[in-house]
């Protein structure tokens, strides 16, 4: 004889059925939540992987000197919220602006574009040494279009971000080199610019060739022969300090530096001209 299970519902049977229905819906909702959550995790992981893949491509193109291709690649992601993508886009925009085939009008647009990308990168990640570095570089670049007052007024902002970049990454030779350029620039500032600086600041920005030399040497210690311009500026700074022996040493290194870029070629030429000036006087 078959066994029939009988469940007696005490109370309101309708309420019981609704309770069962809500329980079932809750269970289905939880299952759906799990599926959606897992999908979100997978999507996020795929997004991270995608960004890393783009960064790898970008770094390869940068190291290969493929400025146009790099700019085209990263421009596709100009609405990105990723600081690593944004500061690279700032750098790519600036590099494209420096190309000999870029018109003056396009150069200006690209430099302001670069500043905007660098600013956004910094907003997304204030702990990024590269974002601080490129923000400072881009502020300096647009200063050429905004006049000497704006350029001097931004001097402390630029210095602050270079110093922060060095603090966050003491092994970044480029940031140290750029701090050296800041010092060199204010050490050789002409009298009329100093007058403007005194009007803008109670304590105007200033520096010395000795301070600049310290940064250039520090950059060289961190990464020897990393940049032809650092070699050139070591030579030029020693010239300012009337040390022709050491000036000759560093200018010769700059002249003999393998030329990979247009800038390297320009630096070779300038170093050779300065060395020729020595021999003519001797």
């Amino acid at each position: 004889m078959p066994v029939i299970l009988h469940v007696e519902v005490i109370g309101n049977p309708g309420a019981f059925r609704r309770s069962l229905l809500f329980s079932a819906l809750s269970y289905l909702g939880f299952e759906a939540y799990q599926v959606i959550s897992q999908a979100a995790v997978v999507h996020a992981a795929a997004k991270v992987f995608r960004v890393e893949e783009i960064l790898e491509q970008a770094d390869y193109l940068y190291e290969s000197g493929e400025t146009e291709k790099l700019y085209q690649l990263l421009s596709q992601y100009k609405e990105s919220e990723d600081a690593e993508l944004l500061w690279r886009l700032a750098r790519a925009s600036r590099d494209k602006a420096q190309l000999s085939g870029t018109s003056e009008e396009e150069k200006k647009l690209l430099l302001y574009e670069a500043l905007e990308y660098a600013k956004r990168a910094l907003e997304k990640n204030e702990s990024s040494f590269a974002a601080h570095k490129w923000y400072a570089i881009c502020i300096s670049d647009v200063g050429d279009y905004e006049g000497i007052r704006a350029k001097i007024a931004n001097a402390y902002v630029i210095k602050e971000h270079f110093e922060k970049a060095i603090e966050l990454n003491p092994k970044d030779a480029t940031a140290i080199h750029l701090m050296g350029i800041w010092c060199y620039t204010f050490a050789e500032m002409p009298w009329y610019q100093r007058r403007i600086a005194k009007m803008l600041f109670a304590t105007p920005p200033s520096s010395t060739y000795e301070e600049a030399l310290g940064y250039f040497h520090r950059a060289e210690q961190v990464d020897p022969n990393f940049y032809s311009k650092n070699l050139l500026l070591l030579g030029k700074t020693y010239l300012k300090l009337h040390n022709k022996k050491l000036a000759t040493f560093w200018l010769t290194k700059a002249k003999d530096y393998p030329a990979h870029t247009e800038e390297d070629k320009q630096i070779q030429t300038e170093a050779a001209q300065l060395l020729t000036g020595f021999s003519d006087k001797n």
Side-chain angles (χ1 to χ4, degrees), residues 61-76:
L61 290 172
Y62 179 74
E63 293 298 327
S64 303
E66 296 282 0
T67 303
E68 289 279 6
K69 290 181 180 178
L70 175 59
Y71 179 77
Q72 289 170 10
L73 169 69
L74 292 177
S75 291
Q76 300 174 66

Side-chain angles (χ1 to χ4, degrees), residues 46-251:
K47 187 176 180 181
V48 169
F49 176 76
R50 176 64 176 152
V51 169
E52 289 179 353
E53 185 181 9
I54 295 164
L55 295 180
E56 283 183 13
Q57 292 174 23
D59 290 344
Y60 173 78
L61 290 172
Y62 179 74
E63 293 298 327
S64 303
E66 296 282 0
T67 303
E68 289 279 6
K69 290 181 180 178
L70 175 59
Y71 179 77
Q72 289 170 10
L73 169 69
L74 292 177
S75 291
Q76 300 174 66
Y77 309 101
K78 59 185 178 182
E79 301 303 325
S80 172
E81 300 294 307
D82 189 278
E84 292 296 306
L85 272 173
L86 288 168
W87 74 252
R88 283 172 172 82
L89 181 51
R91 180 181 66 182
S93 300
R94 184 181 185 271
D95 286 349
K96 182 173 167 60
Q98 307 299 327
L99 293 176
S100 57
T102 304
S103 69
E104 281 302 315
E105 184 179 353
E106 187 184 7
K107 179 179 180 179
K108 182 178 178 180
L109 289 172
L110 284 165
L111 291 176
Y112 275 96
E113 185 182 287
L115 176 59
E116 183 58 31
Y117 295 138
K119 182 181 178 182
R120 283 173 52 204
L122 198 55
E123 288 170 353
K124 297 303 175 188
N125 184 4
E126 290 188 354
S127 297
S128 168
F129 81 92
H132 281 280
K133 177 172 70 177
W134 286 101
Y135 182 60
I137 291 170
C138 293
I139 291 176
S140 179
D141 286 340
V142 300
D144 293 335
Y145 298 100
E146 298 182 351
I148 190 64
R149 283 177 176 269
K151 204 170 180 73
I152 294 172
N154 284 328
Y156 280 124
V157 177
I158 292 167
K159 183 182 182 185
E160 176 189 339
H161 286 285
F162 281 148
E163 288 177 335
K164 188 63 178 178
I166 295 169
E167 177 190 326
L168 290 167
N169 185 4
K171 296 298 183 182
D172 181 44
T174 306
I176 300 168
H177 163 81
L178 291 167
M179 194 61 236
I181 290 181
W182 190 96
C183 295
Y184 187 94
T185 300
F186 282 98
E188 70 168 1
M189 179 183 282
W191 66 269
Y192 67 90
Q193 291 185 9
R194 291 185 190 279
R195 181 174 291 180
I196 295 171
K198 286 179 181 178
M199 292 168 60
L200 294 172
F201 299 102
T203 307
S206 63
S207 190
T208 63
Y209 291 118
E210 287 84 359
E211 192 174 3
L213 191 67
Y215 280 110
F216 294 140
H217 270 300
R218 182 177 164 189
E220 208 60 33
Q221 289 165 1
V222 167
D223 191 0
N225 295 314
F226 76 103
Y227 188 23
S228 58
K229 191 170 183 178
N230 199 63
L231 302 174
L232 176 71
L233 283 168
L234 275 162
K236 291 177 72 171
T237 308
Y238 273 117
L239 266 183
K240 294 288 187 181
L241 294 171
H242 310 291
N243 189 330
K244 289 188 176 180
K245 183 178 179 181
L246 284 173
T248 301
F249 173 79
W250 290 105
L251 289 172

